[in-house]
Amino acid sequence: MLIDLEQKEIADIYSTPIFQQTSFWCNVKHKLGIPSDAFEFKVRNSELYSNVGGYSYTNGDFVILYQQLNADDCIAYIPYGPEVEPSEENQGNFLEELSEGLRSYLPKCCIAIRYDLNWESHWCKESDYDENGIWKGEPDKTYQELQLNFNTNNWNLKKSNSNVLPKNTLMLDLHDDNETILSRMKPKTRYNIHLSERKEVDVRSVGIEQLNAWYGLYCETAYRNGLHVNSLNYFRSVLAAKMDDTDKDVNVKLLIAYLGDEPLAAMFLVISSHRTTYLYGASSSEHRNLMPTYALQWKAIQIAKAMNCCEYDFFGISPSPDPSHPMYGLYRFKRGFGGDIFHHLGCWDYPLDQGKYQMLQAYEMNSHGYYM
Protein backbone atom coordinates (compact mmCIF):
# COMPACT_ATOMS: atom_id res chain seq x y z
CA MET A 1 0.00 0.00 0.00
CA LEU A 2 1.38 3.38 -1.01
CA ILE A 3 0.27 6.37 1.09
CA ASP A 4 1.21 9.93 0.17
CA LEU A 5 1.64 11.82 3.45
CA GLU A 6 2.42 15.45 4.18
CA GLN A 7 2.04 17.88 7.06
CA LYS A 8 -0.61 20.59 6.85
CA GLU A 9 -1.78 23.61 8.82
CA ILE A 10 -4.16 22.84 11.65
CA ALA A 11 -6.42 25.65 10.45
CA ASP A 12 -6.89 23.73 7.17
CA ILE A 13 -8.29 20.52 8.73
CA TYR A 14 -11.34 19.18 6.90
CA SER A 15 -14.82 19.49 8.37
CA THR A 16 -15.75 16.38 10.39
CA PRO A 17 -18.40 15.22 12.88
CA ILE A 18 -15.54 13.94 15.08
CA PHE A 19 -14.80 17.05 17.13
CA GLN A 20 -11.59 15.51 18.52
CA GLN A 21 -10.28 15.77 14.94
CA THR A 22 -10.95 19.50 14.54
CA SER A 23 -8.87 22.66 14.86
CA PHE A 24 -11.14 23.59 17.78
CA TRP A 25 -9.97 20.57 19.82
CA CYS A 26 -6.34 21.30 18.94
CA ASN A 27 -6.95 24.82 20.28
CA VAL A 28 -8.37 23.39 23.53
CA LYS A 29 -5.29 21.20 23.95
CA HIS A 30 -2.94 24.06 23.07
CA LYS A 31 -4.39 26.10 25.94
CA LEU A 32 -3.66 23.15 28.23
CA GLY A 33 -0.05 22.90 27.04
CA ILE A 34 -0.48 19.92 24.69
CA PRO A 35 1.01 20.51 21.21
CA SER A 36 -0.52 19.08 18.04
CA ASP A 37 0.16 18.56 14.34
CA ALA A 38 -2.07 17.88 11.33
CA PHE A 39 -1.39 15.60 8.37
CA GLU A 40 -2.94 15.03 4.96
CA PHE A 41 -2.84 11.64 3.24
CA LYS A 42 -3.80 10.22 -0.13
CA VAL A 43 -4.26 6.54 -0.95
CA ARG A 44 -5.71 4.60 -3.86
CA ASN A 45 -9.25 3.26 -3.21
CA SER A 46 -8.36 -0.17 -4.62
CA GLU A 47 -5.84 -0.54 -1.76
CA LEU A 48 -8.24 0.72 0.91
CA TYR A 49 -11.45 -1.08 0.07
CA SER A 50 -12.38 -4.62 -0.98
CA ASN A 51 -13.80 -5.25 -4.46
CA VAL A 52 -12.86 -1.77 -5.69
CA GLY A 53 -10.82 -1.26 -8.85
CA GLY A 54 -9.71 1.68 -10.94
CA TYR A 55 -7.36 4.53 -10.19
CA SER A 56 -9.44 6.81 -7.97
CA TYR A 57 -8.02 8.04 -4.65
CA THR A 58 -9.24 8.95 -1.19
CA ASN A 59 -7.91 12.07 0.49
CA GLY A 60 -8.14 12.40 4.26
CA ASP A 61 -6.46 14.05 7.19
CA PHE A 62 -5.98 13.65 10.93
CA VAL A 63 -4.53 15.44 13.93
CA ILE A 64 -1.93 14.19 16.38
CA LEU A 65 -1.70 15.30 20.03
CA TYR A 66 1.67 14.86 21.72
CA GLN A 67 1.22 13.52 25.24
CA GLN A 68 4.33 13.80 27.43
CA LEU A 69 4.86 10.62 29.47
CA ASN A 70 7.84 11.85 31.47
CA ALA A 71 10.74 14.28 31.08
CA ASP A 72 12.19 12.27 28.19
CA ASP A 73 9.38 10.45 26.36
CA CYS A 74 6.06 11.14 24.66
CA ILE A 75 3.46 9.34 22.56
CA ALA A 76 1.76 10.58 19.39
CA TYR A 77 -1.95 10.21 20.13
CA ILE A 78 -4.56 10.29 17.34
CA PRO A 79 -8.02 10.76 18.97
CA TYR A 80 -10.80 8.93 17.07
CA GLY A 81 -8.73 9.02 13.93
CA PRO A 82 -8.05 8.61 11.11
CA GLU A 83 -11.70 9.00 10.15
CA VAL A 84 -11.27 7.11 6.85
CA GLU A 85 -12.12 3.47 7.60
CA PRO A 86 -10.65 0.83 5.25
CA SER A 87 -12.16 -2.62 4.75
CA GLU A 88 -11.32 -4.93 7.66
CA GLU A 89 -8.68 -6.94 5.82
CA ASN A 90 -6.84 -3.74 4.81
CA GLN A 91 -6.91 -1.92 8.14
CA GLY A 92 -3.67 -3.31 9.57
CA ASN A 93 -1.72 -2.66 6.38
CA PHE A 94 -3.09 0.89 6.23
CA LEU A 95 -2.08 1.65 9.84
CA GLU A 96 1.35 0.10 9.34
CA GLU A 97 2.09 2.13 6.20
CA LEU A 98 0.74 5.29 7.81
CA SER A 99 2.88 4.74 10.92
CA GLU A 100 6.06 4.17 8.94
CA GLY A 101 5.32 7.29 6.92
CA LEU A 102 4.91 9.30 10.12
CA ARG A 103 8.25 8.22 11.64
CA SER A 104 10.30 11.00 10.09
CA TYR A 105 7.82 13.69 11.18
CA LEU A 106 7.64 12.73 14.85
CA PRO A 107 9.87 13.96 17.69
CA LYS A 108 12.87 11.77 18.51
CA CYS A 109 11.42 11.27 22.01
CA CYS A 110 8.22 9.67 20.64
CA ILE A 111 8.08 6.01 21.69
CA ALA A 112 4.78 5.01 20.04
CA ILE A 113 1.86 6.13 17.91
CA ARG A 114 -1.49 5.53 19.58
CA TYR A 115 -4.53 5.28 17.31
CA ASP A 116 -7.81 5.69 19.19
CA LEU A 117 -9.83 4.09 16.41
CA ASN A 118 -13.45 5.08 15.97
CA TRP A 119 -13.81 2.27 13.42
CA GLU A 120 -16.41 -0.37 14.21
CA SER A 121 -15.18 -3.35 16.20
CA HIS A 122 -14.52 -6.46 14.10
CA TRP A 123 -16.59 -8.46 16.58
CA CYS A 124 -20.04 -6.99 15.93
CA LYS A 125 -21.39 -9.59 13.56
CA GLU A 126 -24.60 -11.53 14.23
CA SER A 127 -22.71 -14.38 15.89
CA ASP A 128 -21.18 -11.93 18.39
CA TYR A 129 -24.58 -11.37 20.07
CA ASP A 130 -26.47 -13.79 22.30
CA GLU A 131 -30.10 -14.87 21.89
CA ASN A 132 -31.24 -11.72 23.71
CA GLY A 133 -29.32 -9.40 21.42
CA ILE A 134 -26.66 -8.67 24.06
CA TRP A 135 -23.12 -8.18 22.80
CA LYS A 136 -20.74 -10.93 23.91
CA GLY A 137 -17.74 -8.63 23.78
CA GLU A 138 -14.33 -8.92 22.17
CA PRO A 139 -12.01 -11.93 22.17
CA ASP A 140 -8.77 -11.90 24.14
CA LYS A 141 -6.01 -9.46 23.29
CA THR A 142 -3.84 -12.00 21.46
CA TYR A 143 -6.63 -12.92 19.03
CA GLN A 144 -7.44 -9.24 18.42
CA GLU A 145 -3.82 -8.57 17.51
CA LEU A 146 -3.77 -11.55 15.14
CA GLN A 147 -6.81 -10.14 13.37
CA LEU A 148 -5.66 -6.53 12.99
CA ASN A 149 -2.10 -7.46 11.98
CA PHE A 150 -3.42 -9.54 9.07
CA ASN A 151 -1.72 -8.39 5.83
CA THR A 152 0.98 -6.40 7.66
CA ASN A 153 4.71 -6.90 7.13
CA ASN A 154 6.07 -6.64 10.67
CA TRP A 155 3.09 -7.46 12.95
CA ASN A 156 3.81 -4.41 15.08
CA LEU A 157 0.27 -3.27 15.97
CA LYS A 158 -0.43 -3.80 19.67
CA LYS A 159 -3.76 -3.58 21.52
CA SER A 160 -3.29 -0.89 24.12
CA ASN A 161 -3.69 -1.78 27.80
CA SER A 162 -5.44 1.55 28.36
CA ASN A 163 -8.26 3.20 26.44
CA VAL A 164 -8.46 6.97 26.31
CA LEU A 165 -11.82 7.87 24.76
CA PRO A 166 -14.94 5.70 25.24
CA LYS A 167 -14.98 2.48 23.20
CA ASN A 168 -18.75 2.06 23.46
CA THR A 169 -21.33 4.72 22.78
CA LEU A 170 -24.98 5.25 21.97
CA MET A 171 -25.97 7.07 18.77
CA LEU A 172 -29.44 8.59 18.39
CA ASP A 173 -30.84 9.21 14.89
CA LEU A 174 -32.31 12.72 14.70
CA HIS A 175 -33.97 12.55 11.28
CA ASP A 176 -37.46 12.03 12.70
CA ASP A 177 -39.63 14.66 14.39
CA ASN A 178 -39.67 15.20 18.14
CA GLU A 179 -42.78 13.12 18.76
CA THR A 180 -41.35 10.13 16.91
CA ILE A 181 -38.06 10.40 18.81
CA LEU A 182 -40.00 10.56 22.09
CA SER A 183 -42.12 7.57 21.12
CA ARG A 184 -38.99 5.43 20.70
CA MET A 185 -37.74 6.16 24.20
CA LYS A 186 -38.46 3.88 27.11
CA PRO A 187 -41.72 4.76 28.93
CA LYS A 188 -39.87 5.67 32.15
CA THR A 189 -37.62 8.08 30.24
CA ARG A 190 -40.58 9.81 28.59
CA TYR A 191 -42.31 10.02 31.96
CA ASN A 192 -39.26 11.63 33.57
CA ILE A 193 -38.92 14.18 30.77
CA HIS A 194 -42.57 15.22 31.19
CA LEU A 195 -42.19 15.22 34.99
CA SER A 196 -39.32 17.70 34.78
CA GLU A 197 -41.51 19.93 32.60
CA ARG A 198 -44.40 19.79 35.08
CA LYS A 199 -42.04 20.65 37.93
CA GLU A 200 -40.86 23.72 35.94
CA VAL A 201 -37.24 22.67 35.56
CA ASP A 202 -35.80 25.31 33.20
CA VAL A 203 -32.84 24.46 30.97
CA ARG A 204 -30.80 27.47 29.85
CA SER A 205 -27.86 27.88 27.51
CA VAL A 206 -25.33 29.98 29.43
CA GLY A 207 -21.92 31.53 28.86
CA ILE A 208 -18.54 31.38 30.51
CA GLU A 209 -19.82 33.62 33.32
CA GLN A 210 -21.69 30.60 34.69
CA LEU A 211 -18.65 28.33 34.66
CA ASN A 212 -18.38 28.35 38.46
CA ALA A 213 -21.97 27.05 38.72
CA TRP A 214 -21.01 24.22 36.37
CA TYR A 215 -17.84 23.47 38.30
CA GLY A 216 -19.63 23.25 41.61
CA LEU A 217 -22.01 20.63 40.19
CA TYR A 218 -19.16 18.83 38.45
CA CYS A 219 -17.05 18.53 41.61
CA GLU A 220 -20.06 17.34 43.60
CA THR A 221 -20.71 14.64 40.99
CA ALA A 222 -17.07 13.56 40.83
CA TYR A 223 -16.72 13.26 44.61
CA ARG A 224 -20.04 11.42 44.86
CA ASN A 225 -18.91 8.83 42.31
CA GLY A 226 -15.22 8.66 43.19
CA LEU A 227 -14.08 10.08 39.84
CA HIS A 228 -10.97 12.02 38.83
CA VAL A 229 -11.53 15.80 39.04
CA ASN A 230 -10.36 18.04 36.19
CA SER A 231 -9.37 21.59 37.02
CA LEU A 232 -11.62 24.59 36.46
CA ASN A 233 -9.05 25.79 33.93
CA TYR A 234 -9.68 22.66 31.85
CA PHE A 235 -13.33 23.58 31.30
CA ARG A 236 -12.48 27.24 30.86
CA SER A 237 -10.15 26.17 28.06
CA VAL A 238 -13.01 24.40 26.25
CA LEU A 239 -15.17 27.53 26.23
CA ALA A 240 -12.28 29.93 25.61
CA ALA A 241 -11.00 27.84 22.71
CA LYS A 242 -14.33 28.14 20.95
CA MET A 243 -14.37 31.90 21.40
CA ASP A 244 -10.91 32.09 19.81
CA ASP A 245 -11.38 29.44 17.15
CA THR A 246 -12.28 30.13 13.53
CA ASP A 247 -13.81 26.71 12.80
CA LYS A 248 -17.40 27.64 11.97
CA ASP A 249 -18.48 23.98 11.91
CA VAL A 250 -17.88 23.58 15.65
CA ASN A 251 -20.05 25.04 18.39
CA VAL A 252 -19.94 24.54 22.15
CA LYS A 253 -22.83 25.02 24.53
CA LEU A 254 -22.97 24.91 28.32
CA LEU A 255 -26.49 23.96 29.42
CA ILE A 256 -27.69 24.27 33.03
CA ALA A 257 -31.01 23.04 34.40
CA TYR A 258 -32.42 25.35 37.07
CA LEU A 259 -35.22 25.32 39.60
CA GLY A 260 -35.77 29.02 39.91
CA ASP A 261 -32.19 30.28 40.28
CA GLU A 262 -30.81 27.08 41.79
CA PRO A 263 -28.64 25.02 39.40
CA LEU A 264 -29.57 21.32 39.53
CA ALA A 265 -27.68 19.75 36.64
CA ALA A 266 -25.45 20.81 33.76
CA MET A 267 -23.75 19.52 30.63
CA PHE A 268 -21.24 20.45 27.94
CA LEU A 269 -22.50 19.94 24.39
CA VAL A 270 -20.29 20.01 21.28
CA ILE A 271 -21.78 20.43 17.80
CA SER A 272 -19.44 19.48 14.95
CA SER A 273 -20.66 19.20 11.36
CA HIS A 274 -23.80 17.00 11.44
CA ARG A 275 -23.21 15.47 14.91
CA THR A 276 -23.91 16.69 18.43
CA THR A 277 -21.92 15.08 21.26
CA TYR A 278 -22.79 15.03 24.96
CA LEU A 279 -19.31 15.55 26.38
CA TYR A 280 -19.55 16.14 30.14
CA GLY A 281 -22.42 16.02 32.62
CA ALA A 282 -22.94 16.87 36.28
CA SER A 283 -25.80 17.00 38.76
CA SER A 284 -26.62 18.05 42.31
CA SER A 285 -27.54 15.58 45.04
CA GLU A 286 -30.51 17.83 45.80
CA HIS A 287 -33.89 17.71 43.99
CA ARG A 288 -33.00 14.61 42.00
CA ASN A 289 -36.69 13.72 42.12
CA LEU A 290 -37.30 16.60 39.68
CA MET A 291 -35.39 14.70 36.97
CA PRO A 292 -33.20 17.62 35.79
CA THR A 293 -30.79 15.32 33.90
CA TYR A 294 -33.67 14.11 31.72
CA ALA A 295 -34.68 17.71 31.03
CA LEU A 296 -31.09 18.46 29.99
CA GLN A 297 -30.86 15.60 27.55
CA TRP A 298 -34.19 16.38 25.95
CA LYS A 299 -33.21 20.05 25.55
CA ALA A 300 -29.86 19.01 24.07
CA ILE A 301 -31.60 16.76 21.53
CA GLN A 302 -33.89 19.63 20.54
CA ILE A 303 -30.91 21.98 20.14
CA ALA A 304 -29.15 19.39 17.98
CA LYS A 305 -32.16 19.12 15.69
CA ALA A 306 -32.47 22.93 15.50
CA MET A 307 -28.83 23.09 14.36
CA ASN A 308 -29.56 20.57 11.56
CA CYS A 309 -27.63 17.71 13.11
CA CYS A 310 -28.68 14.21 12.07
CA GLU A 311 -27.16 12.27 14.99
CA TYR A 312 -26.65 12.66 18.73
CA ASP A 313 -23.71 10.93 20.41
CA PHE A 314 -24.29 10.08 24.08
CA PHE A 315 -20.51 9.46 24.39
CA GLY A 316 -19.73 6.57 26.65
CA ILE A 317 -21.61 3.61 28.12
CA SER A 318 -20.74 0.14 29.37
CA PRO A 319 -20.44 -2.42 26.54
CA SER A 320 -23.43 -4.42 27.80
CA PRO A 321 -26.06 -4.26 30.59
CA ASP A 322 -23.73 -5.71 33.21
CA PRO A 323 -24.57 -4.27 36.68
CA SER A 324 -21.00 -4.91 37.85
CA HIS A 325 -19.51 -2.62 35.18
CA PRO A 326 -18.54 0.87 36.48
CA MET A 327 -20.39 2.52 33.58
CA TYR A 328 -23.57 0.48 33.94
CA GLY A 329 -25.44 3.44 35.43
CA LEU A 330 -24.67 5.47 32.30
CA TYR A 331 -25.77 2.54 30.13
CA ARG A 332 -29.13 2.33 31.89
CA PHE A 333 -29.73 6.11 31.83
CA LYS A 334 -28.69 6.74 28.23
CA ARG A 335 -30.29 3.59 26.82
CA GLY A 336 -33.65 4.94 27.91
CA PHE A 337 -33.46 7.62 25.21
CA GLY A 338 -33.38 5.04 22.42
CA GLY A 339 -30.66 4.93 19.78
CA ASP A 340 -28.19 2.27 18.68
CA ILE A 341 -25.09 1.04 20.47
CA PHE A 342 -21.81 1.41 18.59
CA HIS A 343 -18.65 -0.47 19.59
CA HIS A 344 -15.31 1.09 18.55
CA LEU A 345 -12.04 -0.76 18.02
CA GLY A 346 -10.47 1.37 20.75
CA CYS A 347 -6.79 2.18 21.26
CA TRP A 348 -4.10 0.48 19.21
CA ASP A 349 -0.39 1.25 19.42
CA TYR A 350 2.42 1.19 16.91
CA PRO A 351 5.63 1.04 19.01
CA LEU A 352 8.64 3.01 17.77
CA ASP A 353 10.90 2.16 20.72
CA GLN A 354 10.18 -1.42 21.78
CA GLY A 355 11.96 -1.31 25.14
CA LYS A 356 10.32 1.88 26.37
CA TYR A 357 6.98 0.79 24.97
CA GLN A 358 7.07 -2.39 27.05
CA MET A 359 7.54 -0.24 30.17
CA LEU A 360 4.52 1.86 29.11
CA GLN A 361 2.45 -1.30 28.69
CA ALA A 362 3.33 -2.47 32.19
CA TYR A 363 2.46 0.94 33.65
CA GLU A 364 -0.93 0.99 31.93
CA MET A 365 -1.85 -2.60 32.76
CA ASN A 366 -4.12 -1.51 35.61
CA SER A 367 -5.20 1.80 34.14
CA HIS A 368 -8.92 2.43 33.55
CA GLY A 369 -8.35 4.96 30.79
CA TYR A 370 -8.74 8.69 30.66
CA TYR A 371 -10.14 11.40 28.46
CA MET A 372 -7.61 13.47 26.52
Side-chain angles (χ1 to χ4, degrees):
M1 182 180 293
L2 181 63
I3 300 177
D4 291 332
L5 181 70
E6 62 181 31
Q7 201 161 354
K8 67 188 296 186
E9 294 296 322
I10 288 173
D12 295 331
I13 294 169
Y14 297 143
S15 174
T16 172
I18 304 171
F19 74 83
Q20 296 90 349
Q21 284 290 316
T22 62
S23 61
F24 154 73
W25 199 241
C26 292
N27 196 2
V28 171
K29 296 305 177 181
H30 174 75
K31 291 180 180 295
L32 295 169
I34 299 174
S36 58
D37 281 324
F39 293 87
E40 174 110 4
F41 66 89
K42 178 182 177 182
V43 60
R44 185 171 287 177
N45 288 341
S46 58
E47 295 188 283
L48 274 181
Y49 309 114
S50 300
N51 303 316
V52 172
Y55 298 94
S56 59
Y57 286 83
T58 288
N59 285 79
D61 63 7
F62 57 91
V63 300
I64 290 178
L65 305 176
Y66 296 102
Q67 177 66 28
Q68 203 69 30
L69 299 173
N70 51 48
D72 300 318
D73 306 312
C74 74
I75 61 171
Y77 172 63
I78 304 177
Y80 280 172
E83 183 178 3
V84 171
E85 182 174 351
S87 299
E88 278 190 16
E89 59 268 33
N90 298 327
Q91 288 176 359
N93 191 12
F94 172 72
L95 292 175
E96 179 180 67
E97 293 298 321
L98 193 62
S99 300
E100 290 298 331
L102 282 169
R103 271 187 188 269
S104 62
Y105 292 98
L106 300 177
K108 297 298 182 183
C109 65
C110 185
I111 69 169
I113 304 168
R114 174 159 292 175
Y115 297 94
D116 204 334
L117 297 172
N118 72 317
W119 305 345
E120 186 175 25
S121 169
H122 293 185
W123 299 277
C124 287
K125 300 173 179 63
E126 186 176 346
S127 59
D128 297 308
Y129 294 81
D130 67 17
E131 63 275 8
N132 297 314
I134 304 300
W135 192 48
K136 297 177 184 177
E138 297 165 326
D140 63 45
K141 181 178 174 180
T142 300
Y143 187 86
Q144 291 184 57
E145 291 179 349
L146 284 170
Q147 178 105 349
L148 195 64
N149 279 288
F150 178 74
N151 270 343
T152 64
N153 292 315
N154 55 26
W155 290 70
N156 195 37
L157 290 164
K158 309 296 181 184
K159 184 71 185 76
S160 172
N161 286 328
S162 177
N163 286 304
V164 183
L165 294 166
K167 276 183 63 178
N168 310 284
T169 190
L170 192 72
M171 302 293 291
L172 182 66
D173 189 331
L174 299 178
H175 285 98
D176 292 311
D177 58 38
N178 286 345
E179 288 305 312
T180 302
I181 292 174
L182 272 171
S183 72
R184 291 175 178 162
M185 295 180 187
K186 292 187 176 180
K188 185 66 178 294
T189 300
R190 284 198 305 274
Y191 176 84
N192 288 339
I193 289 172
H194 294 317
L195 174 64
S196 68
E197 293 172 349
R198 293 196 302 273
K199 298 298 183 179
E200 298 183 344
V201 174
D202 181 27
V203 178
R204 307 168 199 167
S205 181
V206 301
I208 200 167
E209 72 282 353
Q210 292 299 319
L211 194 59
N212 284 335
W214 150 264
Y215 198 66
L217 291 169
Y218 165 76
C219 288
E220 182 178 351
T221 302
Y223 294 141
R224 186 172 67 231
N225 295 303
L227 303 175
H228 170 75
V229 178
N230 286 311
S231 68
L232 178 62
N233 183 55
Y234 176 87
F235 297 105
R236 182 178 287 114
S237 297
V238 175
L239 292 176
K242 183 53 210 168
M243 289 187 285
D244 296 343
D245 199 66
T246 58
D247 191 337
K248 303 302 182 185
D249 283 337
V250 179
N251 206 327
V252 179
K253 291 187 178 294
L254 174 56
L255 305 181
I256 300 182
Y258 290 91
L259 180 64
D261 291 325
E262 181 182 359
L264 303 182
M267 67 188 299
F268 270 81
L269 205 63
V270 181
I271 299 96
S272 182
S273 184
H274 62 265
R275 178 184 299 167
T276 295
T277 302
Y278 164 41
L279 186 56
Y280 303 109
S283 62
S284 170
S285 299
E286 303 294 327
H287 303 297
R288 297 176 73 123
N289 60 310
L290 302 183
M291 305 300 165
T293 55
Y294 289 86
L296 272 177
Q297 291 293 341
W298 181 230
K299 182 68 172 180
I301 290 168
Q302 292 173 304
I303 288 172
K305 285 182 61 63
M307 299 191 74
N308 297 316
C309 291
C310 61
E311 57 188 17
Y312 184 90
D313 186 351
F314 280 93
F315 198 65
I317 57 172
S318 59
S320 63
D322 177 5
S324 67
H325 195 283
M327 296 182 74
Y328 171 67
L330 292 175
Y331 179 101
R332 187 173 56 182
F333 171 68
K334 296 176 181 180
R335 200 76 175 94
F337 291 88
D340 297 309
I341 296 174
F342 187 86
H343 302 288
H344 299 280
L345 268 177
C347 284
W348 286 80
D349 298 334
Y350 193 88
L352 304 174
D353 183 318
Q354 295 291 343
K356 290 187 174 181
Y357 176 72
Q358 287 177 5
M359 289 190 288
L360 174 64
Q361 277 191 311
Y363 174 78
E364 293 183 331
M365 184 67 73
N366 296 317
S367 173
H368 298 294
Y370 52 93
Y371 289 178
M372 178 176 170

